[in-house]
Protein backbone atom coordinates (compact mmCIF):
# COMPACT_ATOMS: atom_id res chain seq x y z
CA UNK A 1 0.00 0.00 0.00
CA UNK A 2 2.85 2.33 0.88
CA UNK A 3 4.60 1.51 -2.42
CA UNK A 4 1.46 2.35 -4.40
CA UNK A 5 1.13 5.63 -2.52
CA UNK A 6 4.75 6.54 -3.24
CA UNK A 7 4.35 5.69 -6.92
CA UNK A 8 1.23 7.84 -7.09
CA UNK A 9 3.10 10.77 -5.56
CA UNK A 10 6.00 10.45 -8.00
CA UNK A 11 3.70 10.13 -11.01
CA UNK A 12 1.72 13.18 -9.84
CA UNK A 13 4.88 15.21 -9.46
CA UNK A 14 6.26 14.24 -12.87
CA UNK A 15 2.92 14.81 -14.63
CA UNK A 16 2.62 18.25 -13.04
CA UNK A 17 6.24 19.21 -13.79
CA UNK A 18 6.25 18.10 -17.45
CA UNK A 19 4.34 21.15 -18.77
CA UNK A 20 6.81 23.43 -16.96
CA UNK A 21 9.85 21.73 -18.52
CA UNK A 22 8.15 21.70 -21.93
CA UNK A 23 7.37 25.41 -21.60
CA UNK A 24 10.97 26.11 -20.60
CA UNK A 25 12.33 24.30 -23.67
CA UNK A 26 9.85 26.06 -25.97
CA UNK A 27 10.71 29.50 -24.57
CA UNK A 28 14.44 28.87 -24.96
CA UNK A 29 13.82 27.62 -28.51
CA UNK A 30 12.12 30.90 -29.46
CA UNK A 31 14.77 32.86 -27.55
CA UNK A 32 17.40 31.21 -29.76
CA UNK A 33 15.35 32.33 -32.83
CA UNK A 34 15.26 28.84 -34.33
CA UNK A 35 11.62 28.97 -35.44
CA UNK A 36 12.50 29.88 -39.04
CA UNK A 37 15.24 27.28 -39.41
CA UNK A 38 13.28 24.45 -37.75
CA UNK A 39 9.52 25.05 -38.30
CA UNK A 40 8.57 21.38 -37.75
CA UNK A 41 10.41 21.36 -34.42
CA UNK A 42 8.64 24.61 -33.50
CA UNK A 43 5.25 23.02 -34.14
CA UNK A 44 6.19 19.96 -32.12
CA UNK A 45 7.41 21.95 -29.11
CA UNK A 46 4.32 24.16 -29.06
CA UNK A 47 2.06 21.10 -29.32
CA UNK A 48 4.06 19.29 -26.65
CA UNK A 49 3.66 22.21 -24.25
CA UNK A 50 -0.08 22.56 -24.86
CA UNK A 51 -0.78 18.81 -24.73
CA UNK A 52 1.26 18.35 -21.54
CA UNK A 53 -0.65 21.21 -19.93
CA UNK A 54 -4.04 19.79 -20.91
CA UNK A 55 -3.11 16.28 -19.77
CA UNK A 56 -1.85 17.59 -16.43
CA UNK A 57 -5.12 19.45 -15.87
CA UNK A 58 -7.22 16.41 -16.79
CA UNK A 59 -5.03 14.16 -14.65
CA UNK A 60 -5.62 16.40 -11.64
CA UNK A 61 -9.29 17.01 -12.45
CA UNK A 62 -10.37 15.17 -9.29
CA UNK A 63 -9.05 18.13 -7.31
CA UNK A 64 -11.64 20.29 -9.05
CA UNK A 65 -14.56 18.09 -8.05
CA UNK A 66 -14.60 15.77 -11.10
CA UNK A 67 -15.36 12.11 -10.41
CA UNK A 68 -12.13 10.08 -10.36
CA UNK A 69 -13.47 7.47 -12.78
CA UNK A 70 -14.67 10.11 -15.22
CA UNK A 71 -11.35 11.91 -14.97
CA UNK A 72 -9.42 8.71 -15.68
CA UNK A 73 -11.47 7.94 -18.81
CA UNK A 74 -11.03 11.52 -20.05
CA UNK A 75 -7.27 11.35 -19.43
CA UNK A 76 -7.03 7.97 -21.13
CA UNK A 77 -8.72 9.22 -24.31
CA UNK A 78 -6.85 12.54 -24.36
CA UNK A 79 -3.51 10.79 -23.82
CA UNK A 80 -3.85 8.51 -26.81
CA UNK A 81 -5.05 11.31 -29.10
CA UNK A 82 -1.99 13.36 -28.10
CA UNK A 83 0.19 10.26 -28.46
CA UNK A 84 -0.82 9.75 -32.10
CA UNK A 85 -0.53 13.44 -32.95
CA UNK A 86 2.89 13.58 -31.33
CA UNK A 87 4.11 10.61 -33.38
CA UNK A 88 3.04 12.35 -36.60
CA UNK A 89 4.78 15.59 -35.62
CA UNK A 90 7.95 13.71 -34.67
CA UNK A 91 7.95 12.16 -38.14
CA UNK A 92 8.19 15.62 -39.71
CA UNK A 93 10.83 16.75 -37.20
CA UNK A 94 13.05 13.78 -38.09
CA UNK A 95 12.71 14.67 -41.77
CA UNK A 96 13.65 18.25 -41.00
CA UNK A 97 16.71 17.29 -38.96
CA UNK A 98 17.89 14.86 -41.62
CA UNK A 99 17.48 17.51 -44.32
CA UNK A 100 19.47 19.99 -42.23
CA UNK A 101 22.27 17.54 -41.45
CA UNK A 102 22.61 16.38 -45.07
CA UNK A 103 22.23 19.85 -46.65
CA UNK A 104 25.83 19.85 -48.03
CA UNK A 105 24.90 16.75 -50.07
CA UNK A 106 21.49 17.58 -51.61
CA UNK A 107 21.40 14.57 -53.92
CA UNK A 108 21.95 12.02 -51.17
CA UNK A 109 19.58 14.00 -48.95
CA UNK A 110 16.79 13.79 -51.53
CA UNK A 111 17.17 10.04 -52.01
CA UNK A 112 17.39 9.52 -48.26
CA UNK A 113 14.12 11.41 -47.73
CA UNK A 114 12.40 9.28 -50.38
CA UNK A 115 13.59 6.10 -48.68
CA UNK A 116 12.61 7.53 -45.31
CA UNK A 117 9.04 8.26 -46.44
CA UNK A 118 8.65 4.83 -48.00
CA UNK A 119 9.89 3.23 -44.79
CA UNK A 120 7.43 5.29 -42.74
CA UNK A 121 4.55 4.30 -45.01
CA UNK A 122 5.43 0.62 -44.79
CA UNK A 123 5.85 0.95 -41.03
CA UNK A 124 2.37 2.42 -40.74
CA UNK A 125 0.88 -0.49 -42.71
CA UNK A 126 2.78 -3.05 -40.64
CA UNK A 127 1.77 -1.31 -37.40
CA UNK A 128 -1.92 -1.36 -38.24
CA UNK A 129 -1.77 -4.94 -39.54
CA UNK A 130 0.09 -6.22 -36.48
CA UNK A 131 -2.47 -4.55 -34.22
CA UNK A 132 -5.53 -5.87 -36.05
CA UNK A 133 -4.44 -9.47 -36.59
CA UNK A 134 -3.78 -10.66 -33.01
CA UNK A 135 -7.00 -11.79 -31.37
CA UNK A 136 -6.11 -10.29 -28.01
CA UNK A 137 -5.96 -6.72 -29.36
CA UNK A 138 -9.42 -6.55 -30.93
CA UNK A 139 -10.78 -4.27 -28.25
CA UNK A 140 -7.74 -1.98 -28.29
CA UNK A 141 -6.86 -1.78 -31.96
CA UNK A 142 -6.19 1.97 -31.95
CA UNK A 143 -3.96 1.74 -28.88
CA UNK A 144 -2.01 -1.22 -30.25
CA UNK A 145 -1.58 0.43 -33.67
CA UNK A 146 -0.45 3.66 -32.00
CA UNK A 147 2.16 1.82 -29.94
CA UNK A 148 3.48 -0.09 -32.96
CA UNK A 149 3.65 3.11 -35.01
CA UNK A 150 5.50 4.90 -32.20
CA UNK A 151 7.95 2.01 -32.06
CA UNK A 152 8.66 2.54 -35.76
CA UNK A 153 9.12 6.27 -35.15
CA UNK A 154 11.43 5.42 -32.26
CA UNK A 155 13.61 3.35 -34.59
CA UNK A 156 13.86 6.35 -36.91
CA UNK A 157 14.75 8.59 -33.97
CA UNK A 158 17.53 6.24 -32.91
CA UNK A 159 18.73 6.00 -36.53
CA UNK A 160 18.96 9.79 -36.68
CA UNK A 161 20.96 9.82 -33.45
CA UNK A 162 23.34 7.15 -34.79
CA UNK A 163 23.80 9.13 -38.02
CA UNK A 164 24.62 12.26 -36.03
CA UNK A 165 26.94 10.45 -33.64
CA UNK A 166 29.06 8.84 -36.37
CA UNK A 167 29.08 11.58 -39.02
CA UNK A 168 28.63 14.81 -37.07
CA UNK A 169 32.20 16.02 -37.72
CA UNK A 170 32.30 14.74 -41.31
CA UNK A 171 29.25 16.87 -42.15
CA UNK A 172 30.72 20.04 -40.63
CA UNK A 173 28.76 19.85 -37.37
CA UNK A 174 29.84 19.35 -33.77
CA UNK A 175 28.43 17.74 -30.66
CA UNK A 176 27.39 21.24 -29.53
CA UNK A 177 25.20 21.77 -32.59
CA UNK A 178 21.48 22.02 -31.90
CA UNK A 179 20.70 19.36 -34.48
CA UNK A 180 22.72 16.89 -32.43
CA UNK A 181 21.00 18.08 -29.24
CA UNK A 182 17.57 17.53 -30.77
CA UNK A 183 18.61 14.06 -31.91
CA UNK A 184 19.97 13.27 -28.44
CA UNK A 185 16.72 14.33 -26.78
CA UNK A 186 14.70 12.21 -29.18
CA UNK A 187 17.07 9.33 -28.48
CA UNK A 188 16.10 9.46 -24.80
CA UNK A 189 12.38 9.49 -25.59
CA UNK A 190 12.79 6.71 -28.17
CA UNK A 191 14.44 4.51 -25.55
CA UNK A 192 11.62 5.35 -23.16
CA UNK A 193 8.97 4.43 -25.74
CA UNK A 194 10.63 1.06 -26.29
CA UNK A 195 10.68 0.32 -22.57
CA UNK A 196 7.19 1.51 -21.69
CA UNK A 197 5.40 0.20 -24.80
CA UNK A 198 5.86 -3.35 -23.49
CA UNK A 199 3.59 -2.48 -20.54
CA UNK A 200 1.17 -0.06 -22.20
CA UNK A 201 -1.33 -2.60 -23.53
CA UNK A 202 -1.74 -4.58 -20.32
CA UNK A 203 -1.24 -1.70 -17.92
CA UNK A 204 -4.19 -1.42 -15.54
CA UNK A 205 -3.02 1.60 -13.56
CA UNK A 206 -1.07 4.77 -14.20
CA UNK A 207 0.83 4.46 -10.92
CA UNK A 208 3.45 2.00 -12.14
CA UNK A 209 7.21 1.84 -12.41
CA UNK A 210 6.93 2.04 -16.20
CA UNK A 211 5.18 5.41 -15.99
CA UNK A 212 7.76 6.64 -13.49
CA UNK A 213 10.56 5.67 -15.89
CA UNK A 214 8.71 7.35 -18.75
CA UNK A 215 8.28 10.54 -16.74
CA UNK A 216 11.93 10.68 -15.67
CA UNK A 217 13.27 10.04 -19.18
CA UNK A 218 10.85 12.59 -20.67
CA UNK A 219 12.12 15.16 -18.18
CA UNK A 220 15.73 14.37 -19.10
CA UNK A 221 14.91 14.78 -22.81
CA UNK A 222 13.20 18.14 -22.24
CA UNK A 223 16.08 19.41 -20.11
CA UNK A 224 18.55 18.29 -22.80
CA UNK A 225 16.75 20.38 -25.40
CA UNK A 226 16.61 23.33 -23.01
CA UNK A 227 20.36 23.14 -22.44
CA UNK A 228 21.15 23.03 -26.17
CA UNK A 229 18.81 25.94 -26.91
CA UNK A 230 20.34 27.94 -24.06
CA UNK A 231 24.01 27.40 -24.90
CA UNK A 232 25.58 29.03 -27.98
CA UNK A 233 25.93 26.81 -31.03
CA UNK A 234 29.21 26.20 -32.82
CA UNK A 235 29.31 27.60 -36.33
CA UNK A 236 28.96 24.94 -39.00
CA UNK A 237 32.14 24.31 -40.97
CA UNK A 238 31.99 24.05 -44.77
CA UNK A 239 32.09 20.53 -46.13
CA UNK A 240 35.29 19.94 -48.11
CA UNK A 241 35.78 16.74 -50.07
CA UNK A 242 38.34 15.80 -52.74
CA UNK A 243 37.05 15.65 -56.30
CA UNK A 244 37.83 11.92 -56.38
CA UNK A 245 35.73 11.23 -53.29
CA UNK A 246 33.15 8.46 -53.84
CA UNK A 247 30.72 10.51 -51.74
CA UNK A 248 30.82 13.32 -54.30
CA UNK A 249 30.23 10.85 -57.11
CA UNK A 250 27.27 9.30 -55.29
CA UNK A 251 25.84 12.75 -54.67
CA UNK A 252 26.12 13.62 -58.40
CA UNK A 253 24.44 10.35 -59.38
CA UNK A 254 21.70 10.92 -56.80
CA UNK A 255 21.08 14.45 -58.12
CA UNK A 256 20.83 13.13 -61.68
CA UNK A 257 18.30 10.44 -60.78
CA UNK A 258 14.76 11.53 -61.42
CA UNK A 259 15.70 14.63 -63.42
CA UNK A 260 15.40 14.90 -67.19
CA UNK A 261 18.67 15.75 -68.93
CA UNK A 262 18.98 17.79 -72.13
CA UNK A 263 18.65 15.48 -75.11
CA UNK A 264 20.41 15.64 -78.48
CA UNK A 265 19.07 14.00 -81.64
CA UNK A 266 21.60 11.46 -82.87
CA UNK A 267 21.57 10.73 -86.62
CA UNK A 268 23.17 7.50 -87.90
CA UNK A 269 26.63 7.96 -89.41
CA UNK A 270 25.60 6.46 -92.77
CA UNK A 271 23.16 9.32 -93.38
CA UNK A 272 25.87 11.90 -92.73
CA UNK A 273 28.13 10.09 -95.20
CA UNK A 274 25.50 9.98 -97.99
CA UNK A 275 24.65 13.64 -97.50
CA UNK A 276 28.31 14.59 -97.84
CA UNK A 277 28.69 12.52 -101.03
CA UNK A 278 25.60 14.08 -102.60
CA UNK A 279 26.84 17.55 -101.73
CA UNK A 280 30.23 16.90 -103.38
CA UNK A 281 28.62 15.45 -106.53
CA UNK A 282 26.25 18.43 -106.87
CA UNK A 283 29.15 20.87 -106.57
CA UNK A 284 31.17 19.01 -109.23
CA UNK A 285 28.21 18.88 -111.67
CA UNK A 286 27.53 22.56 -111.19
CA UNK A 287 31.20 23.43 -111.76
CA UNK A 288 31.41 21.32 -114.98
CA UNK A 289 28.22 22.90 -116.33
CA UNK A 290 29.66 26.40 -115.76
CA UNK A 291 32.96 25.45 -117.50
CA UNK A 292 31.13 24.03 -120.49
CA UNK A 293 29.00 27.13 -120.85
CA UNK A 294 32.05 29.40 -120.74
CA UNK A 295 33.89 27.39 -123.42
CA UNK A 296 30.88 27.53 -125.73
Amino acid sequence: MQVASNLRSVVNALTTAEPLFALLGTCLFFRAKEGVRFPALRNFLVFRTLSATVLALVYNSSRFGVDRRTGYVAYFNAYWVCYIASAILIFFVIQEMYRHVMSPLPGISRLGLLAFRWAATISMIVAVASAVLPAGFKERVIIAASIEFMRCISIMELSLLVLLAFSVHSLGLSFRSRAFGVGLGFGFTAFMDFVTSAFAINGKTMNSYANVIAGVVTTVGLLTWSAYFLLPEDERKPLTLPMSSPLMRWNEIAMALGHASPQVAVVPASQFFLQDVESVVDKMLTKNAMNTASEG
Side-chain angles (χ1 to χ4, degrees):
M1 192 68 178
Q2 183 63 32
V3 175
S5 179
N6 292 336
L7 286 176
R8 186 183 302 109
S9 300
V10 175
V11 171
N12 288 341
L14 291 172
T15 304
T16 304
E18 183 177 347
L20 300 178
F21 291 123
L23 179 62
L24 174 63
T26 303
C27 291
L28 292 175
F29 174 81
F30 283 105
R31 178 178 176 272
K33 300 179 180 179
E34 294 288 4
V36 176
R37 185 165 65 153
F38 301 129
L41 180 59
R42 175 197 62 206
N43 298 336
F44 171 76
L45 289 174
V46 172
F47 174 80
R48 184 62 179 270
T49 302
L50 295 176
S51 62
T53 303
V54 171
L55 289 175
L57 291 175
V58 175
Y59 181 80
N60 296 287
S61 60
S62 59
R63 300 180 181 179
F64 306 103
V66 179
D67 179 68
R68 184 178 296 273
R69 176 65 181 175
T70 304
Y72 177 79
V73 173
Y75 180 86
F76 181 84
N77 295 328
Y79 174 82
W80 286 109
V81 170
C82 294
Y83 192 85
I84 297 173
S86 179
I88 296 173
L89 290 175
I90 291 174
F91 170 77
F92 290 107
V93 174
I94 296 174
Q95 279 192 109
E96 185 174 75
M97 290 298 111
Y98 176 81
R99 191 183 296 111
H100 170 72
V101 170
M102 299 298 294
S103 58
L105 301 169
I108 297 178
S109 174
R110 186 174 65 87
L111 284 186
L113 283 176
L114 290 175
F116 175 79
R117 290 165 183 167
W118 273 106
T121 303
I122 295 173
S123 299
M124 175 73 78
I125 297 173
V126 172
V128 174
S130 61
V132 173
L133 291 179
F137 288 173
K138 284 184 178 180
E139 296 180 355
R140 296 186 176 184
V141 172
I142 296 179
I143 298 176
S146 301
I147 292 174
E148 291 297 329
F149 180 61
M150 182 58 86
R151 284 176 180 173
C152 299
I153 296 295
S154 299
I155 293 174
M156 296 177 187
E157 292 172 352
L158 293 173
S159 300
L160 175 65
L161 180 59
V162 170
L163 172 66
L164 289 169
F166 284 97
S167 61
V168 61
H169 294 298
S170 302
L171 295 171
L173 298 170
S174 69
F175 290 113
R176 292 187 59 180
S177 65
R178 285 173 181 149
F180 180 80
V182 172
L184 183 61
F186 276 124
F188 289 135
T189 57
F191 173 77
M192 178 267 295
D193 287 328
F194 269 116
V195 173
T196 58
S197 62
F199 308 97
I201 287 292
N202 298 319
K204 299 183 183 300
T205 177
M206 294 178 55
N207 304 317
S208 62
Y209 288 106
N211 284 334
V212 171
I213 295 173
V216 171
V217 176
T218 298
T219 301
V220 171
L222 292 173
L223 290 177
T224 299
W225 290 339
S226 299
Y228 270 90
F229 296 145
L230 178 63
L231 298 175
E233 182 182 26
D234 291 341
E235 185 177 354
R236 184 168 190 170
K237 298 178 181 179
L239 180 64
T240 55
L241 293 173
M243 294 299 296
S244 58
S245 172
L247 195 60
M248 290 294 295
R249 182 58 179 167
W250 295 341
N251 185 63
E252 293 175 359
I253 295 174
M255 292 182 65
L257 291 175
H259 294 283
S261 304
Q263 297 182 354
V264 179
V266 179
V267 182
S270 59
Q271 294 186 14
F272 282 112
F273 177 74
L274 292 176
Q275 290 177 359
D276 293 339
V277 171
E278 290 176 357
S279 178
V280 172
V281 171
D282 289 339
K283 290 180 179 179
M284 291 183 63
L285 291 176
T286 302
K287 184 177 181 179
N288 290 338
M290 292 177 63
N291 291 337
T292 301
S294 61
E295 290 177 359

